[in-house]
């Protein structure tokens, strides 16, 4: 095999391995194999940094009018969440803490969304980007930070939420209705929130969706009364992310041009 073809093949295999690693990270973070021993305790309001400023006022007003005359309960919560207005562009951080017997570990990502495209950055413990993934128009692109080459392929069922290792508001909307045990409109960090508790095979999940932005605010998972995972999102901006965040290594135009 010519050296050029051999190098290309090796590069493609390495990139594919990175995608598999991202997928395995999501599976591990989704609590399928966790057996934690920590007591389930939600962070206090002082630990939850909400975001209400001029950028969110329009969404807050739209959503307030939609839920003002509604009593949220298990029978209607999925329809209520689905009806909320949401930003088409945003940047957010994701902190995903996994718990096990005697310890805990944290995975961190940043996610950017615009024009139906998503960028997910995986960060190390120092906040430095280690891997990047883009998704747009049914395609996925991934590379190690600093690399001049990338993997590309069909995204299939691998969603941006899975890449960021977090559920989304869509996760709540797609739950089997008989799993939803509790649902209510509440307040957290000065924001109206929709809290949903679901139970399946002894595993309890509590999702909190912001009634301001319509996006997932946090998710907590427990098994037999012990916490195994806590996910916290923080909206950093509702501004349109810059073009260079959606540009592939070695190219000077965005992925929208290639769609």
């Amino acid at each position: 095999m010519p050296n050029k073809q051999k190098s290309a093949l090796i590069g493609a295999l390495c990139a594919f391995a990175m995608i598999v690693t991202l997928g395995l990270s999501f599976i591990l973070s989704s609590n399928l194999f966790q057996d934690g021993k920590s007591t389930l305790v939600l962070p206090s309001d002082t630990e939850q940094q909400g975001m209400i400023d001029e950028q969110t006022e329009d969404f807050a007003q739209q959503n307030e009018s939609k839920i003002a005359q509604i009593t949220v309960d298990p029978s209607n919560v999925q329809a209520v969440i689905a009806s909320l207005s949401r930003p088409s562009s945003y940047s957010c951080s994701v902190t995903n803490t996994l718990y096990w017997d005697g310890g805990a570990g944290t995975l961190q990502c940043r996610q950017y969304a615009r024009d139906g495209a998503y960028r997910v950055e995986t960060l190390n413990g120092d906040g430095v980007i280690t891997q990047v993934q883009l998704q747009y128009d049914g395609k996925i692109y991934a590379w190690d930070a600093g690399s001049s080459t990338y993997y590309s392929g069909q995204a299939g069922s691998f969603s941006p939420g899975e890449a960021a290792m977090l559920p989304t508001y869509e996760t709540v909307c797609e739950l089997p209705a008989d799993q939803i045990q509790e649902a209510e409109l509440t307040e957290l960090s000065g924001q109206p929130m929709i809290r949903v508790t679901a139970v399946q095979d002894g595993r309890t999940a509590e999702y909190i969706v912001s009634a301001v932005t319509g996006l997932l605010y946090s998710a907590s998972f427990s098994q037999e009364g012990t916490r195994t995972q806590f996910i916290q999102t923080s909206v950093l901006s509702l501004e349109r992310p810059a073009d260079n965040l959606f540009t592939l290594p070695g190219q000077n135009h965005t992925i929208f041009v290639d769609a």
Side-chain angles (χ1 to χ4, degrees), residues 6-238:
K6 185 176 180 180
S7 298
L9 177 61
I10 292 174
L13 290 174
C14 290
F16 178 74
M18 185 174 72
I19 295 298
V20 173
T21 300
L22 284 170
L24 289 175
S25 295
F26 169 72
I27 292 172
L28 291 173
S29 72
S30 66
N31 192 34
L32 293 177
F33 303 106
Q34 300 301 322
D35 185 19
K37 299 297 181 181
S38 301
T39 302
L40 176 59
V41 178
L42 285 175
S44 66
D45 285 354
T46 57
E47 294 172 305
Q48 304 274 5
Q49 298 302 316
M51 176 187 168
I52 291 187
D53 56 24
E54 293 181 359
Q55 292 178 314
T56 62
E57 286 182 358
D58 288 343
F59 291 104
Q61 292 173 0
Q62 293 174 37
N63 290 331
E64 181 182 7
S65 65
K66 292 178 181 180
I67 63 178
Q69 305 301 320
I70 297 176
T71 298
V72 177
D73 60 36
S75 69
N76 64 14
V77 66
Q78 290 173 299
V80 172
I81 291 174
S83 73
L84 296 176
S85 298
R86 295 175 181 83
S88 59
S89 298
Y90 61 86
S91 306
C92 71
S93 64
V94 181
T95 300
N96 189 344
T97 304
L98 306 176
Y99 299 87
W100 56 85
D101 190 8
T106 299
L107 303 170
Q108 294 207 351
C109 292
R110 279 196 298 261
Q111 187 180 63
Y112 303 87
R114 63 168 268 196
D115 302 328
Y118 295 87
R119 174 187 172 103
V120 175
E121 299 171 346
T122 303
L123 311 178
N124 65 16
D126 296 322
V128 177
I129 300 170
T130 59
Q131 294 176 329
V132 180
Q133 182 187 131
L134 296 181
Q135 283 197 41
Y136 180 64
D137 196 32
K139 296 180 181 179
I140 186 171
Y141 310 85
W143 63 94
D144 289 321
S147 175
S148 59
T149 60
Y150 58 89
Y151 163 85
S152 65
Q154 296 301 310
S157 61
F158 195 67
S159 71
E162 289 173 339
M165 298 169 288
L166 79 157
T168 68
Y169 77 91
E170 294 169 304
T171 305
V172 185
C173 293
E174 293 168 0
L175 288 172
D178 60 359
Q179 292 182 11
I180 298 177
Q181 303 294 305
E182 299 176 7
E184 64 174 347
L185 181 64
T186 185
E187 185 175 301
L188 188 62
S189 296
Q191 292 189 44
M193 301 282 182
I194 298 175
R195 187 194 309 269
V196 180
T197 302
V199 177
Q200 180 184 32
D201 300 327
R203 180 175 183 258
T204 300
E206 183 179 72
Y207 303 98
I208 297 179
V209 175
S210 170
V212 174
T213 64
L215 301 173
L216 184 86
Y217 182 74
S218 68
S220 181
F221 300 90
S222 62
Q223 188 82 29
E224 298 179 352
T226 57
R227 182 168 67 179
T228 55
Q229 183 182 14
F230 182 75
I231 299 167
Q232 178 70 61
T233 71
S234 177
V235 176
L236 304 175
S237 174
L238 297 184

